[in-house]
Amino acid sequence: MRRLIRTTVGVALTAVMLFPVYWMINVSFTREQDMRADPPHLTPVGGTLEGYRAVLDQQLPYLGTSLLVGLGTVALTLVLAAPAGYALAKLRPVGGGLFSFALLIAQMIPGIIMAMGFYAIYLELGLLNTLPGLILADSTLAVPFGVLIFTAFMSGIPQELMQAAVVDGAGRLRTFWSVVLPVSRNSIVTVSLFAFLWSWSDFIYASTLDGGGDRQPITLGIYQYIGNNNQQWNAIMATAVLASVPATVLLVLAQRYVAAGVAAGAVKD
Amino acid sequence: MPDQTTPTPRRGGGAARVAGRQATGRRTADRWTADRWTAWAFLAPVAGYLLAFYAYPLYRNVELSLREYTVRSFVQGGAPFAGLDNYRRVLTDATFGPALWHTVVFTLASLVFQFGIGMALALFFHRHFPLARTLRALFLVPWLLPLIVSASTWSWLLNSDAGVVNAALEALGVGPVNWLTSPRWSLLSVIIANIWIGVPFNLVVLYSGLQSIPATVYEAAALDGAGGWQRFWRITFPLLRPVSAITLLLGLIYTLKVFDIIWIMTRGGPTDSSTTLATWSYRLGFGTLLPSFGPGAAVGNLLIVMALVAGLSYLRVRRRLQP
């Protein structure tokens, strides 16, 4: 009985917490003329797909750009972070402690400050409003986190496993590639998920470094929507719903990785 | 923090390593020393990356704040050195006081409520019941949504005429509140949205902290006749102190950085009533047609000093707690 009461309370609390998300979905189906109804329509019954039609007409390129930038960020993050994690976890580099310290500090720098510095540099290099520029900037959200996660996971790999490879005549690079990486699958998934999610969600670098580009990510798509046609809220919310899809997929498919990432001191800025 | 997916070093692994090293003698020792240097081959990409994409932008930012930039000299170079003029200008600006105050209020209010609610929920979910796992997972949703999605959803929830929050207030007989358009309420509105976003993080970390407290401690306390309230204050709270300290400090570091939510919901307005140092810095550098990069960078650097103070105390606490 008490368990049942707890479950009921739990469902109620979750409902309160997720109400804004429900409302976003509800509004995305609401017809234009019902938008300011009083009292508001609480369910999307009798709603419209207008909002989603508008999204498909106007926002698909933005979603495509975000996908591309996200994948680019994941690739760059993995290439940089995995070897570093291996070195810090297993090879005890000279100055490794200092290096980990620098990574922790790097995570604490506010994005707006990085953005201003990047802006000045990109202006000189002509990287403003380019996808590689945005990918590079977005990767700064994930690389320090990635190195820390890889270090934590890889220090758990038994030393014997690697010694066996060394005995077989494998060099450090080979050991890394054919022993360490395959057993680190979990950490690769975790880091990839977060790198993708953060670059997909990034607004600050997109708005400062790609504000005038012809290929903009979905966060800017929504932002301009809010600015331009203040009235078409079903379309705005429909875009928001579609922009939330990666987060939802991530939660469903990889809940345990997410929990691991959060518990490892995951960062969101 | 224990978690099933975080590997912990195998027990005895260190001992085996030491024994192995002694057995093979000098050659292994040499190899081991050589490793310490080959390690840098693996580290070199990230080291270069940190220098190019962290250190250099930071350096450029300091340089920006020390020169007198116009849009023209920003593009073409040759801005005159201005010393600390930008800082002086920023510190005496009418916006500085309010922005600093709002940063403090925003950060403290967010932290207190995120932590309080997160702790209550963690304690609640710690009493196992059917569906607890699923519901706990659903609680993560607000944290995973892109900030622009959360911020625009909250903008519409809090809309003065058509927002569902005002509709609910009306049903209760309370008049409409201009959440985002009145200087009295705008800061509160962005704080509410930020608390909503931050609760899941606190919940997950505190929950994993709770799980690491052995059940036997509670059983012993129950045998001694300790009630639920006593158990919380005498056992849970003291044992959770390390995790709590880290959660709060991480929260502090991330809350100081918050920019997206405020900028998207209110742009720091109306009339600076929800401006924090982060949004002010953005507005100076990017928010107007005539950017003032120098002062913007100066504000940013003040913010970074605050973040670093928070960050270093986090590292201190962490080192003290984890031998």
Side-chain angles (χ1 to χ4, degrees):
Chain A
M1 191 59 208
R2 280 180 70 173
R3 284 159 59 91
L4 203 68
I5 292 174
R6 276 182 200 148
T7 304
T8 318
V9 174
V11 170
L13 288 173
T14 314
V16 171
M17 187 71 180
L18 293 189
F19 179 77
V21 180
Y22 168 74
W23 200 249
M24 164 178 86
I25 298 169
N26 183 27
V27 171
S28 75
F29 288 110
T30 305
R31 289 184 304 169
E32 204 82 47
Q33 60 265 37
D34 296 337
M35 204 58 81
R36 287 167 191 276
D38 186 27
H41 294 233
L42 292 177
T43 59
V45 175
T48 172
L49 288 173
E50 249 172 69
Y52 287 89
R53 215 164 291 134
V55 173
L56 292 183
D57 282 350
Q58 297 157 21
Q59 299 280 352
L60 275 186
Y62 293 93
L63 287 166
T65 306
S66 276
L67 189 68
L68 217 62
V69 172
L71 293 176
T73 307
V74 169
L76 185 58
T77 304
L78 288 181
V79 165
L80 286 165
Y86 170 59
L88 287 175
K90 289 298 181 198
L91 302 180
R92 300 158 183 280
V94 181
L98 203 68
F99 195 83
S100 306
F101 181 74
L103 285 169
L104 275 172
I105 293 289
Q107 284 192 302
M108 292 160 190
I109 301 165
I112 174 68
I113 292 158
M114 297 286 292
M116 224 171 278
F118 268 119
Y119 187 83
I121 297 168
Y122 280 14
L123 196 67
E124 280 162 23
L125 299 179
L127 277 174
L128 278 180
N129 304 323
T130 64
L131 287 195
L134 188 56
I135 290 174
L136 210 53
D138 278 353
S139 72
T140 58
L141 299 170
V143 166
F145 168 78
V147 176
L148 297 174
I149 290 282
F150 276 124
T151 309
F153 275 78
M154 286 175 181
S155 11
I157 301 174
Q159 203 73 18
E160 295 81 5
L161 203 62
M162 273 170 292
Q163 267 163 2
V166 173
V167 169
D168 287 347
R172 284 298 165 195
L173 194 58
R174 235 200 110 90
T175 315
F176 171 66
W177 186 254
S178 35
V179 178
V180 175
L181 275 188
V183 294
S184 308
R185 210 179 54 100
N186 280 0
S187 51
I188 295 175
V189 175
T190 308
V191 172
S192 307
L193 285 174
F194 277 96
F196 186 83
L197 196 65
W198 286 334
S199 95
W200 178 274
S201 316
D202 162 68
F203 170 72
I204 195 160
Y205 290 135
S207 74
T208 50
L209 305 176
D210 193 22
D214 24 296
R215 310 196 60 186
Q216 297 185 334
I218 188 66
T219 46
L220 284 190
I222 299 178
Y223 187 62
Q224 282 153 12
Y225 242 3
I226 303 175
N228 293 341
N229 46 355
N230 233 328
Q231 303 311 312
Q232 221 187 333
W233 273 91
N234 52 12
I236 296 174
M237 288 294 116
T239 321
V241 170
L242 290 186
S244 313
V245 167
T248 319
V249 171
L250 198 147
L251 191 69
V252 172
L253 292 183
Q255 199 218 318
R256 68 195 187 100
Y257 299 112
V258 174
V262 181
V267 196
K268 185 172 185 176
D269 43 18
Chain B
M1 275 151 268
D3 194 285
Q4 70 269 30
T5 46
T6 312
T8 45
R10 297 272 164 93
R11 213 182 306 155
R17 200 158 61 222
V18 172
R21 208 183 299 144
Q22 279 162 351
T24 28
R26 261 192 73 112
R27 271 196 55 198
T28 322
D30 286 349
R31 164 133 212 178
W32 195 68
T33 324
D35 266 357
R36 290 171 64 101
W37 291 104
T38 47
W40 275 97
F42 285 93
L43 277 183
V46 173
Y49 176 88
L50 282 181
L51 287 177
F53 301 113
Y54 272 96
Y56 189 55
L58 281 180
Y59 162 76
R60 283 305 302 261
N61 204 53
V62 172
E63 205 235 329
L64 275 179
S65 75
L66 295 177
R67 284 180 190 274
E68 187 72 47
Y69 274 100
T70 58
V71 177
R72 194 193 162 93
S73 59
F74 193 75
V75 177
Q76 296 174 345
F81 187 76
L84 294 176
D85 277 3
N86 284 321
Y87 289 90
R88 213 167 291 134
R89 196 175 315 160
V90 161
L91 288 174
T92 53
D93 194 295
T95 310
F96 178 74
L100 182 64
W101 173 241
H102 297 149
T103 307
V104 171
V105 172
F106 179 83
T107 307
L108 284 184
S110 298
L111 276 183
V112 167
F113 285 96
Q114 284 174 358
F115 182 80
I117 299 172
M119 175 71 99
L121 287 168
L123 288 167
F124 175 71
F125 280 110
H126 193 53
R127 311 165 138 210
H128 302 277
F129 52 84
L131 281 182
R133 257 182 84 92
T134 316
L135 295 177
R136 201 157 42 84
L138 284 173
F139 257 84
L140 275 176
V141 168
W143 190 77
L144 292 171
L145 291 183
L147 287 174
I148 185 140
V149 168
S150 320
S152 41
T153 303
W154 275 98
S155 296
W156 186 242
L157 284 168
L158 295 174
N159 186 290
S160 294
D161 314 316
V164 68
V165 173
N166 272 352
L169 287 179
E170 195 191 323
L172 294 173
V174 183
V177 174
N178 290 321
W179 292 103
L180 301 173
T181 48
S182 138
R184 264 183 74 188
W185 299 104
S186 61
L187 187 61
L188 179 68
S189 305
V190 293
I191 290 174
I192 292 174
N194 191 51
I195 292 172
W196 182 75
I197 292 162
V199 161
F201 175 77
N202 285 264
L203 165 63
V204 172
V205 178
L206 291 171
Y207 180 84
S208 75
L210 279 180
Q211 278 192 311
S212 66
I213 300 176
T216 46
V217 181
Y218 288 106
E219 284 158 19
L223 280 180
D224 290 342
W229 195 242
Q230 255 187 326
R231 279 204 296 263
F232 176 74
W233 285 112
R234 296 273 168 86
I235 302 176
T236 313
F237 200 69
L239 285 177
L240 265 191
R241 274 234 322 255
V243 178
S244 304
I246 286 176
T247 314
L248 281 171
L249 275 166
L250 281 176
L252 176 60
I253 294 165
Y254 306 139
T255 314
L256 279 176
K257 298 205 276 191
V258 168
F259 150 78
D260 313 44
I261 307 160
I262 301 177
W263 186 257
I264 294 159
M265 284 178 71
T266 68
R267 286 176 165 254
T271 57
D272 283 346
S273 58
S274 55
T275 294
T276 61
L277 290 176
T279 60
W280 189 29
S281 170
Y282 181 89
R283 198 183 65 205
L284 286 169
F286 299 101
T288 55
L289 288 174
L290 209 71
S292 27
F293 292 106
V299 175
N301 287 330
L302 293 178
L303 187 62
I304 212 173
V305 171
M306 293 170 72
L308 282 183
V309 169
L312 290 176
S313 42
Y314 160 72
L315 291 176
R316 241 183 90 98
V317 169
R318 213 177 68 140
R319 188 161 308 161
R320 223 176 42 216
L321 297 174
Q322 291 174 352

